[in-house]
Structure formats: C-alpha cells, structure tokens
Amino acid sequence: MQGAFGESATVYRAGGSGGRVRAVPPVLLALRRFPNPRLTGIGAGLFAALTMFVLACLDRLLFDSSELVYGLLFLPVSALTALWVRPADLVTAPISVPIAFAVGVFPISGGSEGFGGQVMALVTALAVHAGWLYGGTLIAGLIASVRKVLHMRARQRYLLAHGRTGGAEKAPRPAPREPKKKVAGAGAPAGRAERPRASR
C-alpha cells in the first residue's frame, strides 16, 4: 500500500507544527521538469526572431501561409521569450517580440518581385496581423511585469531576512566595568603606615 502511494503522487513534509504531508500537484512537477534557461536581452530577441522565422517557413510549406496558424504560434513564442529572459533584461521582452513578429511575417507576406513589392506586402501583412501582434506583445508585457514584481518581492524578503540574521549573529557588547573604589590607606607606602599612638 505504501509503495503504491509513493508511485501515485509525490509528497513532501511541510515545515512547522503538525508535520503535515502535502501532495505536490502534477502541474508543478511538469513545470519543474520544463527547461528554464536565462537568456540575455539580445539572446531572447534572437531566439524569438529565429523561432518565428522557422515557424513561418513551416507555415508556408504545410499550411499555405495561414494567418491563423502563424498567429497562434506567435502567442506561445511571446510567452516563452518573456519567461526565459533573465530578470535584469525583462524590459527587453515586450520590445523584441514585435521585432520577431515582423521577421516571421516576411516569408508568408507573399509579395511580388522587387524590393518595393516586398516592402508593401510586409506592411500589409503587419496591418492584417495587428491583432495577433498586439496580443503577443501584451502577453510578453504581462509576464515580464509579473516576473519583475515577484523578483522585487523576493529580493526584499531576502534583504529583510539577511538583516535580521546579521543582527542576531552579532555578539552582545560587554557591560562597562565600574571603577574600583579606593580603600583608605591602600595607596600609602608600607613604611609610612600610621603607628598607633601610645596612651598617656
């Protein structure tokens, strides 16, 4: 019975009073196994641009440049870009995502020969796909904002905990010593000690 329970769910013992055992949801276990790289701002932009370009080429070959397929694929790429960029470059996620969208639109724009025809087809495709563009940018912005807030809260908790621990580890200062009271006659030389006077 114990072995079957161990195989069906992963459990951990919660700290604190009671020692209760809680089961970890399968969704959290799947998210922990999911890759979690930390890309720089330039790396996240390159990842999004290259991914959208490859997906657009596949869309052109398999689905005849379907706008719906390209838009649906753009949304998870935007989310992954905002999730995988490092905390220091979170502001770059909503900026790099529209650039990646424009790079990916180029293979499926279907423009005529010539530079002018390609540019006009690209502008038209961006206008037609504006809804998907705004949606992906909004997703990237929301994820980046939430991550930024969580990062700031975690940093604040760390600083507070570190400050309390550092204050507790300091050794208490010793109490100031009281000055010794001088005893009468203690400072006088031994040879000059007062002799008792003889009674007359």
Side-chain angles (χ1 to χ4, degrees):
M1 183 67 179
Q2 185 177 0
F5 178 77
E7 294 177 358
S8 60
T10 303
V11 298
Y12 68 95
R13 186 172 298 277
S17 59
R20 294 177 298 176
V21 177
R22 300 178 182 178
V24 179
V27 177
L28 293 180
L29 294 177
L31 290 177
R32 290 177 182 176
R33 291 192 295 266
F34 197 75
N36 189 22
R38 282 292 172 258
L39 303 175
T40 61
I42 299 176
L46 291 176
F47 160 76
L50 292 177
T51 303
M52 291 309 303
F53 184 81
V54 172
L55 292 177
C57 293
L58 293 177
D59 182 21
R60 183 175 181 178
L61 293 176
L62 301 178
F63 302 100
D64 195 18
S65 302
S66 174
E67 301 175 1
L68 179 61
V69 173
Y70 181 79
L72 290 176
L73 292 175
F74 175 66
L75 299 182
V77 172
S78 302
L80 290 178
T81 303
L83 286 173
W84 287 351
V85 68
R86 63 182 184 179
D89 297 329
L90 282 172
V91 70
T92 62
I95 301 174
S96 58
V97 164
I99 299 175
F101 185 87
V103 172
V105 164
F106 184 76
I108 63 174
S109 58
S112 59
E113 297 181 358
F115 180 76
Q118 293 291 338
V119 172
M120 290 301 298
L122 180 61
V123 173
T124 304
L126 289 175
V128 172
H129 296 72
W132 297 109
L133 175 61
Y134 294 150
T137 306
L138 180 61
I139 290 175
L142 288 177
I143 294 177
S145 301
V146 172
R147 285 191 57 198
K148 186 65 175 180
V149 172
L150 294 178
H151 177 70
M152 293 175 62
R153 289 182 179 179
R155 181 176 178 83
Q156 186 177 6
R157 287 196 299 265
Y158 172 77
L159 292 177
L160 290 176
H162 185 69
R164 291 176 183 176
T165 305
E169 290 179 355
K170 292 182 179 179
R173 296 181 179 179
R177 297 181 180 179
E178 297 182 358
K180 295 182 180 180
K181 298 180 180 180
K182 294 184 179 180
V183 182
R192 296 183 180 180
E194 294 184 359
R195 297 177 181 179
R197 295 180 180 179
S199 59
R200 294 180 180 178

